[in-house]
Amino acid sequence: MMNYDKGKGELQNWLVTEIDFDTRFQGKCETIFCQGNGYMGMRTATEERYINQVRDTFVAGTFNKFDNNDVTELPNAADISNIDILIDGKLFGLDKGSYTDYHRTLNLKTGEVTRAFKWKNEEGKAFQFSFKRFISFDNLHLMAAEIEIKALTHSAKIRFDSGINGQMSNSGAQHFHEGEKRIFDKKYVQMLQQTTQSEITFIHNTAHSVTLEGTVVSSRFEMDRRKVFMIYSSDVEVNQTIRIEKISNVYTTRDKELESLSLEKLREYSIEQLKSACKSGYNTLHNLSAKVWAEKWKAIDIKIESNNDFNQLAIRFVQYHLLIMTPAHDNRMGIGAKGFSGEGYKGHSFWDTELFMLPFFTYTQPQIARSLLEYRYNTIKGARKKAMENGYKGAMFPWESAWADDGEVTPVWGAVDINTGKSTKIWSGFIEQHITSDISFAVWQYYQVTGDEDFMNNYGYEILLDTGIFWASRLQWNKDKKQYHINEVVGPDEYKEHVNNDAFTNYTAYWCIENAIHYYHLLKVEKPGIFNRLDNLLKLKNEIQELEKKLPLIYLPQPNDNNIIPQDDTYLSLTEIDLHKYKNQEHVGSLFLDYSLSEVNLIQVSKQASVVMLMYLIEHKFSPEVKKANYNYYEARTLHDSSLSLSTHSILANDLDNRDLSYSLYRQATSIDLGLNMKSSDHGIHAASLGGIWQIIVCGFGGIRMVGGRLRIEPKLPKEITQITFPIYWKGNLLEIEVNHELLKVKNNGTETVTFSNGEKSFELKRGMEMKI
Amino acid sequence: MMNYDKGKGELQNWLVTEIDFDTRFQGKCETIFCQGNGYMGMRTATEERYINQVRDTFVAGTFNKFDNNDVTELPNAADISNIDILIDGKLFGLDKGSYTDYHRTLNLKTGEVTRAFKWKNEEGKAFQFSFKRFISFDNLHLMAAEIEIKALTHSAKIRFDSGINGQMSNSGAQHFHEGEKRIFDKKYVQMLQQTTQSEITFIHNTAHSVTLEGTVVSSRFEMDRRKVFMIYSSDVEVNQTIRIEKISNVYTTRDKELESLSLEKLREYSIEQLKSACKSGYNTLHNLSAKVWAEKWKAIDIKIESNNDFNQLAIRFVQYHLLIMTPAHDNRMGIGAKGFSGEGYKGHSFWDTELFMLPFFTYTQPQIARSLLEYRYNTIKGARKKAMENGYKGAMFPWESAWADDGEVTPVWGAVDINTGKSTKIWSGFIEQHITSDISFAVWQYYQVTGDEDFMNNYGYEILLDTGIFWASRLQWNKDKKQYHINEVVGPDEYKEHVNNDAFTNYTAYWCIENAIHYYHLLKVEKPGIFNRLDNLLKLKNEIQELEKKLPLIYLPQPNDNNIIPQDDTYLSLTEIDLHKYKNQEHVGSLFLDYSLSEVNLIQVSKQASVVMLMYLIEHKFSPEVKKANYNYYEARTLHDSSLSLSTHSILANDLDNRDLSYSLYRQATSIDLGLNMKSSDHGIHAASLGGIWQIIVCGFGGIRMVGGRLRIEPKLPKEITQITFPIYWKGNLLEIEVNHELLKVKNNGTETVTFSNGEKSFELKRGMEMKI
């Protein structure tokens, strides 16, 4: 069972607490208590082992390809989280004996996970256990853990087996060559391993300090293949406490800031770092990390006053996870679709980043948003190669992206239809092409919100222009209709494969070309230096004619007599079935218990927001009537089988004044990971959904939108929420925004005047000033 | 706790029974209850999973090399032994709830493992569980398992999750590419995987039949990476029994008898085989296998009457394991040093085969002995290559041998000295050279015992001659002493590295050369055709001069004034320490808690029989006085840290009339795996020790020896043993031998007269006759 402990005082609404332990539901807290710092992350499997645990540690950007049948993925690194505890020679586990006063808590404020309980073994000996662990945000390579066990009723022999275990794999795929093992000073354990194809060496170090009432407990070691463990054992008398502190770090030869070091030097450096960390000890190290967390929270914290404290906790949970999963330290790395919380999606970046998570960074931590977009820029060579290989021009971004050099990494073959024995082809890597628009849009959105000219000059314009060039080359001339079409795609609704003129794809492609033309002319006049460089690179002068000639001839699906924009050429003519059963499903994907994917392709049913997503993205292109009609039409046909769907629908419902539906969809979105379904998070966190929740709060309820390059603040709170206070940056100016049912308060803490609209009116807010509307 | 159930009636002394279950000691029964049929073998991990289980399945000869840092090893194949049992949604495990009437039994007569107990879950619901499983000796590709669960007190939802799991690895090393998964007729599950370097495709098939009181329970499937599982779930009312039968097979593209089939055809064939097996069902399939077991036992069973039934059980345990671990079906394969019972020694063949296990086959199943020696012949190219690379001539057999083409596969680097960080070099692959003599000796022994001229003509003579040529080229001329020396070797006592003139090595090298010279002249005269072929191949006429010139000049360490033959040039001058503590050690290797290997090199202490081994092997070269003196000297200095040591010492003690010591060492040997030390077998069975135990019984107590080509039968029973009856073959004639303290009875069931000696006398026993001495 989960509980949302409101906490007390400073910790009110900062704690997520598990109040009972059930081995069946380990996946839940492994995922939602995941710890990390963007450099690395770890599922929070318990220190002791249980059947069906999933113990994963990932270091961002260290992609490796197991073999030619596989695509590159983030390898599951050596584990340091397991500490076996033996009481009188028997492995401790909560599934044996009995326990009381159990709780396990993730502290969102500091990133620490704690756990405590009283446990009685089968012989009736009682012990008080307490655990702590964190991954440092102060030193990105550092993790630490502490266990204390107090003998309450009897003396006992207590033993800890702990070290580095490199026998881990990604569900059987072993990404590492075994490397050297070493112990320095009988304390500092080092193990190396190297990825088999990308040849990245990982250096794992760990050291323990085990004390019984302050007296050092001595150790011996045991070595196995890919494994070094230290063994500490001591008799513990009644009322005595034995304590183990385990401090560990990991470095890799992919680390940007240490690139210049030889492997030998890096090994030495890493051990020196560990020694110095050990001198500080758990508490000091934790305080240093907590300090960095405090700074981060100061910049992003959102206050929500509502009829339910859960709302406050939920937005913090969202922001906690968005922070720990994002490799803000290195612009060669993107966000994995499950962060570091599971092997799912192999650590690859999807459109999830640009359309769901990026707005959080763009509006609150523009330097991180910039790093993430620079990552996309770093993949542009692969995007050009992909375009060329497909007979197109410009930049055709990979549907799934890993290391920049890897290019398209979407698996070609998916789940085997094990009845026919044939693998299902995954079409997304070939024809889910809107990712290119999504990236282009995110670049433009970032630019409009931040005004970061430096980014645009170095990376942004190139992306905007080259994605326009791609789309122009992608268009297909329809002789009969005398229009440019885009055929054979998968749109955001992945239940419709091989469709023609997917509305989302056509509209955003149009947008890309139009935007490219706009910046072509702008650069030519205003930034001739940059224009010339890009012209040189992209042959802009040749391309512009093509873009300008084709743009007005692109077919943009128009609203029909009922104001419905057809999702694609055939959607509106497909069979309609009673979706009631599936709309009320307990588990996502229930449709497939009754229909195969090829059958689903022929039904008016959608996995997720598609036309609705379009109306959120380019909202000023559609009238309120059209939005309403389409929302009602498509919402009724959308199963939200993708976790990306609910947030968009929630925001649009709010836009259309259906506040109850909006709030209900928002609550559904928050319960995907933080709800009472104990199995929904087994494979990892729903990262894009978290980004979507942030958008519901800030862009939906809070009403923050960039529309056509301008800031609009038009809050609409659901009745359940009394007030929201949050910070955003607009063109580098920090705005503090407070929204309640009576008024909107905006304070400009920046250095320049900020202009924004609200309703029909436009406002200018000078620096240092506050305005109530 | 283990128990040696005497069984009743037909099963008396055929059952090994575990009478309580303890997760700490899972390794014991996983190993000693290991099942197999020479084609494949499996550690007997329980169907349900526990922490620290080791679940291994190996198929003989399917070696693969994970990477260049590793040597080739037998890969841990996909698992079919795990069946998760969920009771009311919770994973069943004996470490939860409570149980009574527990037993798990290996039936040595039929190879079946059964398990049964009553179990009550934490809610108080009671169930009767019973399990059966076997690996077929009738169809080498087949395994089957059955579970029955009866609800005793309450109804419950019972679920089985079972299928094929290819996420297995060798302690993290993944030897397989993921292959195709498929389900035929919603029942027959097929999964392919291919070894990464040797490119052997494994085809795993499994099918279930699940019934509730005879009614079929329906299924669904779940698929994961490298994994397909079927899920069967049903409500079970009080007194109802739910039953799952799981029948599985495995084929590989290395299978000799099916080599001509394409992969596609092999897949089809394997599924057809499975379908046909499923029609038969568990009981029929088990009966077919048990029939083959019965034939096998008929040919090899030894009856031991003694003061302790354990003796009878122990010899059957030995023979059971020797049968299941030996790939008798394929002469391209040898016996792994741990059989199929663990990852230890990587499935490689050592001298363990020739000197410890082979006599069992040579004397009782000569066709299997021949296959094992043909395996060595198949490695002779690698042996010649090894000789050449080391600057020698002839055949220098690899210390460790895997697939014939692999050549020497001893790992070069062993355990890291994790204090200095330097890997310990494993010298055996370079300088433990007596393996070449051991193989040569075994060939000759096989020939003398069986008289198999066909084998000799095709393989045997070539080995005898080429090993002689090797040793002649290996000799080093010592100018001062005007002798040929053999310097820089490791002898059988691996606690002495880089020694000169190791007695075992020098004497057996001398023997090889002498024997080669003998057969040179014999072939030249008696088998000119073969002589010419071999002369052509080995340039015999050139080599013979070398051999004959060098032989008399080889230094053979002679007994000193105390009749002691120096184990090597320096042994007798090394430091002597008080070994009392280590002689009485609880766990082997205790010496290394006090001394490093380089220190041990300087102490008069031996890991295992070396001079003593020599005096067993070439017994007629040493006088009883010399034997006795050396036995006493070296036994006192031998820690038996190798499980290969005790049996040789037991036999020699018996030879020297120290029958109590002999019996005591024999009992020690039997308790290595079958004793009460619950941890000693964790890494796998001690295969050579098992072979040694057979030799104690037959060659020691039973007195069967081939000495200088002649059969000698000179039994000496310990007082604890009343009578031993056993079969052996001599030159193809089956002898039935009965030994007790009063007389020796020999019956010749063969077709020719058999000559043997006993004491000073020689006897001739005509076919069909029985003789009492």
Side-chain angles (χ1 to χ4, degrees), chain A residues 24 49 52 66-67 73 89 167 171-172 174 177 180-183 221 223 225-226 416 418 421, chain B residues 24 49 52 66-67 73 89 167 171-172 174 177 180-183 221 223 225-226 416 418 420-421:
Chain A
R24 285 174 295 174
R49 289 175 294 155
N52 287 339
F66 174 74
D67 66 18
E73 69 182 325
Q167 295 186 3
S171 299
Q174 177 53 266
H177 296 295
E180 205 181 313
K181 290 168 259 187
R182 194 155 172 182
I183 299 181
F221 70 83
M223 215 175 48
R225 209 165 164 185
R226 297 172 177 264
V416 177
I418 51 184
Chain B
R24 285 173 297 173
R49 290 175 291 156
N52 287 339
F66 174 74
D67 66 21
E73 69 183 325
Q167 296 186 2
S171 300
Q174 177 54 265
H177 296 295
E180 204 180 314
K181 290 169 257 188
R182 194 156 170 183
I183 298 181
F221 69 84
M223 214 174 52
R225 210 166 164 183
R226 296 170 177 267
V416 177
I418 52 183
T420 66

Side-chain angles (χ1 to χ4, degrees), chain A residues 607-620:
Chain A
K607 183 180 178 188
Q608 65 195 94
S610 182
V611 172
V612 169
M613 184 74 199
L614 173 66
M615 293 185 311
Y616 170 50
L617 221 60
I618 323 186
E619 54 177 291
H620 58 295

Side-chain angles (χ1 to χ4, degrees), chain B residues 102 160 210 241 277 279 395 677 731 757:
Chain B
Y102 177 91
F160 298 110
V210 181
T241 297
K279 273 184 202 139
N677 179 337
K731 313 263 190 220
S757 69

